[in-house]
Amino acid sequence: MCMAATSALFSFSPTPLRHGSSSSVKPKRLVCVSVSTNVSASSSETASKPQIDLEFLGPKTKDDGTYPVDKATAISGEKLLRNIMQDNKIELYAAYGKVMNCGGVGNCGTCIVEIVDGKEFLNERTNAENRYFKKKPESWRLACQTIVGNKENSGKVVVQRLPQWKK
């Protein structure tokens, strides 16, 4: 944590001056005011917390047969997968979902992702997911219901975006 201190000198007159007064000006007293501010070094705080590395595979393969990959890092247990993707400008929604999504409450199913690797670093499926994914693979999740990490673990999670489009 960094500390920064600032000092300033102010002067004031013990008795107020009246507008248009012909009285002599009273001597001013000097007052020293010291102000200190705390500036936290957020990068060192972040480095001490467990982190989850994420890889996001695109829904369609490139010409060479590989999936495009986006990467992000998140502090374990602090964010939903949906928010991490949005913060890092990683495409989550198909065309319809961009316009018609529930805003992250688990009602619409437009934020479906598939967890390819690292399931152990995510929370268990929620009731909303269990209702929505009755006949879908166990690896499918709603990004708006998926907490990345548990504040104590660190590791890597690989996420397939738009698994219903996967070819």
Side-chain angles (χ1 to χ4, degrees), residues 104-165:
V105 295
N107 291 342
C108 67
T110 59
C111 63
I112 297 172
V113 295
E114 181 178 8
I115 306 305
V116 177
D117 191 27
K119 175 183 172 184
E120 66 273 15
F121 299 113
L122 308 174
N123 64 314
E124 296 293 321
R125 271 191 177 179
T126 64
N127 290 336
E129 289 176 294
N130 287 331
R131 282 191 308 273
Y132 195 82
F133 291 132
K134 284 182 183 175
K135 296 181 181 180
K136 299 292 182 192
E138 189 66 31
S139 60
W140 283 25
R141 299 292 304 265
L142 294 175
C144 69
Q145 300 292 300
T146 305
I147 300 170
V148 177
N150 66 8
K151 296 192 179 200
E152 296 174 3
N153 59 9
S154 59
K156 180 179 175 182
V157 177
V158 180
V159 179
Q160 173 75 56
R161 298 182 293 120
L162 301 165
Q164 63 273 32
W165 288 12

Side-chain angles (χ1 to χ4, degrees), residues 15 21 33 35 42 46 49 63 71-72 85 90-91 96 107-108 114 116 119 128 145:
T15 55
S21 166
V33 177
V35 178
S42 61
T46 302
K49 294 183 180 183
D63 291 338
K71 295 183 179 187
M85 292 177 78
I90 298 170
E91 194 67 44
Y96 174 78
N107 291 342
C108 67
E114 181 178 8
V116 177
K119 175 183 172 184
Q145 300 292 300

Side-chain angles (χ1 to χ4, degrees), residues 53-124:
D53 295 319
L54 297 120
E55 286 187 2
F56 298 92
L57 307 177
K60 296 181 181 176
T61 58
K62 298 186 285 186
D63 291 338
D64 65 1
T66 62
Y67 287 99
V69 177
D70 291 304
K71 295 183 179 187
T73 302
I75 296 172
S76 183
E78 290 195 359
K79 285 191 174 185
L80 292 167
L81 187 57
R82 175 184 188 266
N83 297 351
I84 294 167
M85 292 177 78
Q86 288 177 329
D87 291 350
N88 289 281
K89 308 223 182 319
I90 298 170
E91 194 67 44
L92 171 61
Y93 297 108
Y96 174 78
K98 290 177 187 175
V99 179
M100 302 295 293
N101 69 71
C102 66
V105 295
N107 291 342
C108 67
T110 59
C111 63
I112 297 172
V113 295
E114 181 178 8
I115 306 305
V116 177
D117 191 27
K119 175 183 172 184
E120 66 273 15
F121 299 113
L122 308 174
N123 64 314
E124 296 293 321

Side-chain angles (χ1 to χ4, degrees), residues 15-69:
T15 55
L17 295 176
R18 295 187 187 111
H19 184 64
S21 166
S22 61
S23 65
S24 62
V25 176
K26 303 267 185 193
K28 296 180 180 182
R29 284 192 267 169
L30 290 178
V31 177
C32 181
V33 177
S34 181
V35 178
S36 67
T37 57
N38 292 331
V39 179
S40 66
S42 61
S43 62
S44 66
E45 290 174 13
T46 302
S48 67
K49 294 183 180 183
Q51 293 188 345
I52 304 291
D53 295 319
L54 297 120
E55 286 187 2
F56 298 92
L57 307 177
K60 296 181 181 176
T61 58
K62 298 186 285 186
D63 291 338
D64 65 1
T66 62
Y67 287 99
V69 177

